[in-house]
Amino acid sequence: MQAFTLPDFYTPYPARINPQLERSRAHAAAWARRMGMLNEPKRSGGVVWDDAALARMDYALMCAYTHPDCDGPTLDLITDWYVWVFFFDDHFLEQFKYSRDLPGAKSYLDRLELFMTAAGETPPEPANPAEAGLADLWERTVPAMSDGWRQRFTTSTHNLMVESMWELDNISRGRIANPIEYVQMRRRVGGAPWSANLVECAVAAEVPDRLAGTRPLRVLSDSFADAVHLRNDLFSYQREVQEEGENANAVLVFERFFGCRTQEAAELVNDLLTSRLQQFENTALTEVPALLAEQAVPVHEQSAVAAYVKGLQDWQAGGHEWHARSSRYMNDGAAGGTVSVLSGPIGLGTSAARPVFSPARLGLRRRSEQHGHTLFRPVGHLPLPDLYMPYRIRVSPHLDAARRHAVAWARDAGMFEPVPAVASGTAPAVASGTVPALASGTMWDERRFLGFDFARCAAMIHPGANPAQLNLSSDWLAWGTYGDDFFPAVFGAARNLAAAKLCTERLPEFMPLDAGATPEPTSPIEWGLADLWRRTAAPMTAPAREQFRTAVVNMTSSWLWELANQVQHRIPDPVDYVEMRRKTFGSDMTMSLARLAHSDVVPAEIHQTRVMRELDTAAQDYACFTNDLFSYQKEIEFEGEIHNLVLVVESFLGVDRWQAADIVAALMTARMRQFEHIVANELPALFEEYALDEPARAILTRHADYLKDWMSGILEWHRGCARYTEAELRRSRFKEGPADFSFLPTGLGTSAARVGERLAYAR
């Protein structure tokens, strides 16, 4: 019997098949035999694969479905790559999963990497079929591609091989990942980003190097990868979890985290799969065209990006069809439920002629949940669940002096002065909800600022700072929070994304890499950034300045992402929200600042390891989710916001706000437990693996201690800060008397905006 009934899948693209299938079937079998993959012995007896097993798995069929338009030789090459990657997966687990031979596994992977050679390098002589296959494929593929593609493909191949150690370590410990950790790590170990690189090869259209690292292209690859992996987890649960004893499967992760039955967990995984597919669609239809226009990308490169997007769509459709047919997976009844060209006519105007599927299958329910939220919904105070915090609070002795400095600095920056765009009535107040304050042209006043008490937050997250360092930390917190309030107030309600882009494009001018002159500031944001950059970057090396500047730009650019979602009236996809929340909160910038102080002692590669990456993101998520819990009423009821994890969980799971808050608290606990696990087990192992000297070990240990202070300080600041109390929210909203609604839009189709704002104010 199957472990559960497969859910109703959202399949927006028709599956097609490459006519070169039979050719590639014969080629793949001969190639696998030549590489030695069909007689490699198992430790437990028998062989990893034989001819019959390879024929049943039918990777040529998978590649014919996922790459329906490429020619015969290209399909042969792509099929060989997939034969290799699946053999590697089975061979690696067979060799090391049951024996728990972690040193042997690491040695195996280290040697395999030697076969991904740069130009002019010679690989060693292969010693097993995985090495022989990689050597052959590398020689046949890489010379025809650009150096930029080679670097991207090397990275993704490295990730899928090396991160297999994470799976093996968790099996050895009997440890099941939390949902956020799992999605992040599955993306690296599962190989779908690697598949996205091969799409470029299959469609003979490379993504331009200058676009490959941008958010739209990165989100396309990530959402594609997540959908591929979540689908695979649904089909492979029975084989992996029940038969082979693996524990890296989303269905199992959701079972354990939510404490639900397997069938319910499978439905939740499928809901997330649908959401990730729709994130892909939204990015392809909104962010990618805007990027191409803004960058003035030439036509031939636009065509390459379009071919790449279509190739990823074909992969999704074909991958589903193959999973529904392959003997490798649990798929009873799945093949008949796939939308394909045989299901009926396709194209504009033909939807009525095709079979009717459930709303869940077509994704209508998910879209309605994302776009159907009512702004300014009265929610009242949100009682907070118990929050797990194992670390004590420490406070700087320089707090009082920092408080005096902070208010003087904010006054000098002009943060208590009217904002011209607000005072002129060009920014409707509906985005921030603070109608009277905006009508008077101010966002903050001195009384509110004292209640925010950024100096106290700085004194707890940086308790060992000297007075100058503490003042700097306090000012960065004030500046980031002011910017976070400024953007929705000035640009959000007017939905003026173009003006917001101009503002963010000007901000880097106040962070010159040579620490030289800056333009004349025109707003508190510009004045504050210029001053902070001068005080922060002056002692830095040139590479450190560039890295920190990038972190600040990432934060300010993330505010545009929030505005874009507001324009679409779209609650974010859960995965996209968590990953972008780290930027909107400024946590990436904070971590960058902490690391740069020791960039000359700790090798740069150490900060790119899984251990350090997961250590940082676990801490970041704890702090970000803390803010979302405390700011729920402020953002949902008073500001008409849609960027809050409690709301994202409400929308995605269809639960009330109290249940959603409990789930957010459970995620915080899971991330904190992961943080503790890394500090206790994985950080010491990292020290040994890289043979770090004592100064480097001490610095990384202090970094972990800094994160402990950071998390505990942020939690305590939220508990004592006036910014999120209902009394302060109502005082700041109604202090000025009747509001002037003359700035609201008029004309056909605008009545809802006027009525909605009046009702929000009347409440």
Side-chain angles (χ1 to χ4, degrees):
M1 292 181 62
Q2 292 194 160
F4 54 83
T5 301
L6 286 169
D8 192 19
F9 289 95
Y10 174 60
T11 52
Y13 317 117
R16 298 177 297 121
I17 196 162
N18 194 304
Q20 303 293 331
L21 167 61
E22 292 304 328
R23 167 199 168 113
S24 289
R25 270 183 175 145
H27 170 88
W31 183 80
R33 191 176 300 109
R34 191 166 70 251
M35 295 300 109
M37 295 176 181
L38 301 184
N39 57 11
E40 178 71 6
K42 290 182 175 181
R43 284 191 174 188
S44 57
V47 295
V48 178
W49 283 0
D50 57 22
D51 289 87
L54 179 61
R56 286 194 303 271
M57 291 182 286
D58 206 350
Y59 298 118
L61 178 65
M62 183 194 80
C63 293
Y65 271 127
T66 55
H67 303 283
D69 297 323
C70 63
D71 60 24
T74 303
L75 186 63
D76 292 346
L77 176 63
I78 298 297
T79 301
D80 291 348
W81 270 113
Y82 280 93
V83 170
W84 173 81
V85 79
F86 278 97
F87 177 83
F88 158 74
D89 187 51
D90 288 354
H91 186 240
F92 180 80
L93 289 176
E94 176 60 38
Q95 289 290 102
F96 306 110
K97 178 175 67 174
Y98 301 112
S99 66
R100 308 293 195 264
D101 180 9
L102 297 180
K106 184 179 184 306
S107 176
Y108 174 99
L109 295 173
D110 287 345
R111 180 172 160 81
L112 200 56
E113 290 215 36
L114 299 177
F115 294 86
M116 294 189 292
T117 55
E121 293 182 348
T122 302
E125 191 67 24
N128 61 53
E131 293 178 356
L134 182 56
D136 178 77
L137 289 166
W138 200 259
E139 183 179 353
R140 291 162 56 196
T141 307
V142 172
M145 306 300 288
S146 71
D147 188 59
W149 182 90
R150 181 188 63 80
Q151 292 177 13
R152 296 198 302 273
F153 190 61
T154 299
T155 298
S156 56
T157 308
H158 165 90
N159 288 342
L160 73 88
M161 293 191 306
V162 172
E163 302 299 4
S164 299
M165 291 295 294
W166 170 78
E167 288 186 315
L168 204 60
D169 184 61
N170 279 343
I171 292 172
S172 179
R173 295 177 184 275
R175 177 180 178 271
I176 298 173
N178 62 71
I180 297 174
E181 174 193 9
Y182 179 77
V183 171
Q184 289 184 166
M185 288 305 302
R186 184 71 164 95
R187 190 183 295 162
R188 297 175 69 87
V189 74
W194 175 88
S195 296
N197 292 148
L198 282 178
V199 165
E200 297 178 69
C201 180
V203 302
E206 291 189 31
V207 173
D209 282 346
R210 71 181 186 282
L211 302 181
T214 61
R215 171 185 151 81
L217 271 297
R218 190 179 67 251
V219 171
L220 282 182
S221 174
D222 289 348
S223 55
F224 162 82
D226 294 345
V228 168
H229 296 146
L230 293 167
R231 179 185 293 106
N232 177 265
D233 284 355
L234 286 163
F235 279 98
S236 64
Y237 175 88
Q238 185 164 313
R239 177 178 64 85
E240 292 180 346
V241 177
Q242 296 187 333
E243 296 173 11
E244 297 181 355
E246 294 188 35
N247 59 14
N249 185 288
V251 179
L252 178 63
V253 168
F254 279 36
E255 276 185 87
R256 295 298 177 87
F257 179 78
F258 289 105
C260 61
R261 295 181 295 114
T262 305
Q263 185 68 51
E264 294 170 324
E267 296 290 347
L268 287 173
V269 171
N270 189 49
D271 286 344
L272 187 57
L273 164 59
T274 300
S275 185
R276 294 307 278 156
L277 285 171
Q278 292 183 343
Q279 176 65 51
F280 178 94
E281 294 168 350
N282 184 270
T283 304
L285 293 173
T286 62
E287 295 188 54
V288 171
L291 173 70
L292 299 179
E294 290 166 6
Q295 299 288 331
V297 175
V299 172
H300 72 281
E301 291 186 349
Q302 292 188 39
S303 298
V305 172
Y308 172 67
V309 172
K310 179 182 177 296
L312 296 178
Q313 292 175 336
D314 286 336
W315 210 111
Q316 291 286 0
H320 181 90
E321 191 73 10
W322 177 70
H323 276 83
R325 297 175 183 276
S326 174
S327 66
R328 189 177 176 90
Y329 302 111
M330 176 192 87
N331 51 20
D332 288 353
T338 303
V339 178
S340 72
V341 292
L342 302 179
S343 303
I346 61 173
L348 189 63
T350 63
S351 60
R354 296 199 299 273
V356 177
F357 301 98
S358 71
R361 172 160 189 147
L362 295 177
L364 297 178
R365 177 175 61 84
R366 177 66 191 137
R367 284 198 174 94
S368 67
E369 289 164 349
Q370 282 190 293
H371 294 275
H373 173 66
T374 300
L375 298 180
F376 299 105
R377 186 180 68 198
V379 295
H381 171 68
L382 180 67
L384 294 178
D386 291 334
L387 301 178
Y388 175 62
M389 170 49 68
Y391 304 118
R392 66 184 182 87
I393 302 157
R394 300 192 301 144
V395 182
S396 167
H398 309 299
L399 172 57
D400 290 340
R403 279 175 168 150
R404 291 190 294 271
H405 164 86
V407 71
W409 184 84
R411 189 185 304 112
D412 291 343
M415 293 179 178
F416 308 146
E417 299 298 321
V419 178
V422 175
S424 66
T426 60
V430 67
S432 71
T434 54
V435 177
L438 287 174
S440 67
T442 62
M443 293 199 314
W444 289 0
D445 58 31
E446 191 163 327
R447 181 189 182 281
R448 291 191 73 197
F449 184 86
L450 291 172
F452 296 165
D453 206 356
F454 297 118
R456 180 170 181 262
C457 186
M460 291 186 290
I461 68 176
H462 202 176
N466 63 38
Q469 291 170 334
L470 188 60
N471 290 344
L472 187 61
S473 294
S474 176
D475 296 344
W476 271 116
L477 292 174
W479 180 83
T481 308
Y482 185 87
D484 195 44
D485 286 356
F486 180 93
F487 265 68
V490 175
F491 306 118
R495 305 300 190 251
N496 195 344
L497 198 54
K501 284 180 180 291
L502 290 174
C503 178
T504 56
E505 288 170 1
R506 184 171 151 86
L507 291 180
E509 298 179 26
F510 296 91
M511 297 182 288
L513 292 177
D514 62 359
T518 61
E520 187 68 24
T522 62
S523 70
I525 276 197
E526 293 182 350
W527 188 95
L529 183 57
D531 180 71
L532 288 167
W533 180 257
R534 175 183 54 78
R535 294 156 59 196
T536 306
M540 288 182 175
T541 63
R545 281 180 192 161
E546 185 170 6
Q547 185 179 343
F548 183 63
R549 184 179 190 255
T550 299
V552 177
V553 168
N554 286 342
M555 182 181 73
T556 59
S557 297
S558 71
W559 297 337
L560 297 177
W561 168 78
E562 291 184 317
L563 293 179
N565 284 327
Q566 287 182 324
V567 168
Q568 297 180 60
H569 193 73
R570 177 178 179 270
I571 296 175
D573 158 80
V575 176
D576 196 38
Y577 177 79
V578 168
E579 294 178 342
M580 289 301 294
R581 185 69 176 101
R582 297 165 189 161
K583 292 181 170 60
T584 62
F585 191 68
S587 46
D588 280 348
M589 180 186 71
T590 305
M591 300 301 141
S592 178
L593 189 61
R595 288 195 299 265
L596 289 174
H598 310 293
S599 58
D600 57 338
V601 178
V602 179
E605 64 175 325
I606 299 299
H607 290 294
Q608 303 305 315
T609 61
R610 176 189 62 82
V611 172
M612 296 306 299
R613 188 179 61 251
E614 286 295 319
L615 185 77
D616 284 354
T617 58
Q620 290 171 6
D621 291 346
Y622 187 95
C624 294
F625 302 167
T626 296
N627 179 263
D628 285 356
L629 283 172
F630 279 86
S631 66
Y632 179 79
Q633 183 182 17
K634 169 182 173 289
E635 293 178 343
I636 306 307
E637 180 173 341
F638 287 85
E639 298 181 355
E641 256 292 354
I642 53 176
H643 297 94
N644 184 290
L645 186 60
V646 179
L647 179 65
V648 170
V649 171
E650 281 183 78
S651 169
F652 179 70
L653 295 180
V655 298
D656 61 36
R657 55 187 175 274
W658 299 284
Q659 292 172 295
D662 287 341
I663 291 168
V664 171
L667 283 171
M668 291 171 62
T669 298
R671 293 298 265 166
M672 181 62 80
R673 296 287 190 192
Q674 182 188 354
F675 181 90
E676 292 178 294
H677 169 78
I678 293 171
V679 171
N681 301 286
E682 298 187 17
L683 200 57
L686 178 76
F687 296 163
E688 297 301 322
E689 179 182 349
Y690 286 87
L692 296 179
D693 58 23
E694 286 304 319
R697 295 183 184 212
I699 286 168
L700 293 178
T701 300
R702 284 202 300 273
H703 178 69
D705 291 339
Y706 162 77
L707 295 179
K708 296 173 186 177
D709 288 331
W710 193 70
M711 290 185 287
S712 62
I714 285 174
L715 175 59
E716 181 61 22
W717 176 74
H718 278 85
R719 284 174 169 158
C721 175
R723 179 175 169 86
Y724 307 105
T725 64
E726 188 165 8
E728 172 61 22
L729 293 172
R730 297 197 178 280
R731 187 198 74 81
S732 63
R733 184 179 180 90
F734 299 116
K735 66 179 181 180
E736 300 284 347
D740 177 12
F741 293 100
S742 61
F743 54 76
L744 287 173
T746 61
L748 187 63
T750 64
S751 60
R754 298 194 302 275
V755 172
E757 177 58 24
R758 285 180 167 85
L759 288 175
Y761 178 66
R763 273 205 315 277

